[in-house]
Amino acid sequence: MLSFAQILISGILTGALYALVGIGLTIIFGVMRVINFAHGELLMVGMYISFFAATLLGLDPYVSLLIVAPALFVIGVLIQRYLINPVLKAPEFNQILVTLGVGLVLTNSAQLLFTADYRQVRTAYSSLTWGGNLAISVPYTVSFLLALAITAALYVFLMRTDLGKAMRATAQDREAARLMGINVERVSMVAFGIGAAAAGAAGTLLMPVYYLFPAVGEPFTLKAFVVVVLGGMGSVIGATFGGLILGAVEAIGSLYASTGYKDAYGFVIFLLILILKPSGLFGRSRV
Amino acid sequence: MAVDRGTPNAEATAAERAGEPLLTVEAVDAFYGDAQALWGVTLKVGPGEVVALIGANGAGKTTTLRVISGLMRPEAGSVTMLGRRLDRLSPHEIVEAGVAQVPEGRRLFPLMTVRENLEMGAYGRQARARRRETMDDVFAMFPVLKERREQLAGTLSGGEQQMVAIGRGLMARPRLLMFDEPSLGLAPKLVRGIFETVTAIRDTGVAVLLVEQNVPQSLAICDRAFVLENGRTTLSGTGRELLANERVKTAYMGL
């Protein structure tokens, strides 16, 4: 029983990071109707920035969020403006190729610049635990809380600010949004920027507990995709719960079946959702 | 709407005082891919006028509105508002210049509340500064929307949705409000309300360009009208003149 509780808690803590990656993907999909297959690679870029901030500047990974998020925002805006916007009216297949291509370029550039070596940032708190016998990881807990805080901030942004509302309006009816005087090109750049920043932030939050190499992002693109489909394409609330559910399912699957198939459990629920409730759990939510 | 909406976005210019039209569409050609949809379309809307644009399905009415609102670029010709070229501007700049639209099928943001939909109507810089005041005016015009302001737009009845769509257009504080088939799909009782609303909006000093399949009612309330046939403006005149026109009677009123 103790190990079940332990595993479930650690799964949910990891799930908040999946949620954050998924939220980025779902915002980009919602506003642009483009699936960003470079999403995990943006997480990887965020991790490298965080890594070098730690090794070169001596910054704590959590502090480096303040550098990573704005940097990824700018990268996202540039990707939207110069690579995605030109293919927005092109067939979906072309859009997929563009985002896949961006991902490949990022991974291979990282390999060229930083080699394929595994890297890690060891912090004083990396192996600390709390909760007595439950032995809950302190950095996972901190990352969980920060991920939830970022999610809550994004929620408030989308619900309360004019720009956030314009994003939701653009997601619901792009042409009507144009007719309202919303500059949808600008809204799209901000949306991609926020989506990329969310991925980068998730990478930074992984830094104290994970290792880094150029292809680290790949599985995260797929996980983000599972999270988004689970919650309902375009729904931020859905991605939040989708992430937590995916984290829990992976953990429980690892406990009762095998750790070796950890990545497969997500796809099982992915298929179940597609069969049973294709619109996702929160497909018609406001955010 | 009995409430004074104050001065519209742009102040009256010299051109306007000289009795020049508010909006001029001049010899516009427009294409969908290789297919030409508009051939030299020409029309004018004066300040504070209701101008009806009538024609059969596929005659180019909606295309004309798309060109004016900047969703489509004309291949030839021009669109000007009080002497300023609109046809090279982006849609959001055209809204800022004082042209708003109530689109066909309403096109509300279904997962946003009535209030949020109205706020989006006033997204432009000038309109946003007076958003609260304009919203009060819209609520005065459609009291039911005030009651339903926190309800999701997608859950309203068809008539209420049309009120939100019109209110959202007014939120931009436009000098010209374009309606695309506002009575489509509404019960006959509600249709009369729509035409009364159009007249009420005109009475506040906002010019209206009305695209409607209900030709008799449109001609009855408009100051002037243009007839579009196969992408060309073929007839124009006052509403009364066109009501008496034999061709209009047989082609559009089934008489």
Side-chain angles (χ1 to χ4, degrees), chain A:
Chain A
M1 203 55 222
L2 185 65
S3 66
F4 178 81
Q6 199 171 13
I7 290 283
L8 185 65
I9 290 170
S10 90
I12 289 174
L13 295 183
T14 316
L17 300 180
Y18 294 163
L20 193 51
V21 189
I23 286 167
L25 191 71
T26 214
I27 288 177
I28 292 171
F29 175 81
V31 173
M32 263 78 68
R33 301 287 141 178
V34 167
I35 295 166
N36 177 27
F37 283 99
H39 207 63
E41 281 72 20
L42 293 172
L43 174 143
M44 175 272 292
V45 172
M47 287 182 90
Y48 270 105
I49 296 175
S50 178
F51 172 79
F52 286 113
T55 50
L56 301 180
L57 306 175
L59 284 185
D60 183 273
Y62 290 122
V63 176
S64 69
L65 261 182
L66 299 172
I67 301 175
V68 173
L72 266 290
F73 180 86
V74 171
I75 292 172
V77 165
L78 294 176
I79 290 177
Q80 166 61 26
R81 171 150 197 186
Y82 293 106
L83 299 171
I84 307 295
N85 203 39
V87 296
L88 265 191
K89 284 181 187 152
E92 254 167 50
F93 193 66
N94 300 31
Q95 301 168 353
I96 291 172
L97 286 179
V98 169
T99 60
L100 271 176
V102 169
L104 285 175
V105 168
L106 289 176
T107 306
N108 287 288
S109 306
Q111 189 139 348
L112 192 69
L113 292 169
F114 313 129
T115 74
D117 291 351
Y118 279 54
R119 296 163 195 273
Q120 224 178 351
V121 174
R122 295 299 298 172
T123 57
Y125 50 78
S126 276
S127 47
L128 286 184
T129 61
W130 65 283
N133 282 341
L134 281 174
I136 303 164
S137 154
V138 166
Y140 263 112
T141 308
V142 173
S143 293
F144 171 84
L145 294 174
L146 283 173
L148 286 194
I150 294 170
T151 303
L154 278 176
Y155 180 83
V156 171
F157 166 75
L158 288 168
M159 289 303 280
R160 299 257 178 251
T161 67
D162 282 323
L163 186 55
K165 288 175 190 175
M167 251 181 223
R168 286 159 59 212
T170 305
Q172 289 171 37
D173 191 329
R174 196 174 181 86
E175 190 169 283
R178 271 187 214 285
L179 289 176
M180 295 310 112
I182 294 171
N183 183 347
V184 301
E185 280 72 27
R186 190 167 151 263
V187 165
S188 298
M189 285 192 278
V190 174
F192 211 109
I194 289 176
T204 311
L205 294 180
L206 276 171
M207 212 55 224
V209 289
Y210 219 69
Y211 43 88
L212 167 61
F213 58 101
V216 69
E218 236 169 82
F220 284 97
T221 302
L222 295 175
K223 283 186 205 294
F225 195 59
V226 171
V227 163
V228 167
V229 170
L230 195 59
M233 305 283 283
S235 164
V236 169
I237 301 227
T240 309
F241 284 97
L244 297 175
I245 292 171
L246 178 64
V249 166
E250 279 189 359
I252 294 168
S254 308
L255 179 65
Y256 289 107
S258 154
T259 320
Y261 297 115
K262 189 178 166 222
D263 290 333
Y265 305 128
F267 292 104
V268 174
I269 46 171
F270 178 78
L271 288 177
L272 285 177
I273 280 288
L274 283 182
I275 294 163
L276 301 174
K277 199 169 186 310
S279 62
L281 299 175
F282 295 85
R284 295 291 289 170
S285 69
R286 292 174 64 195
V287 183

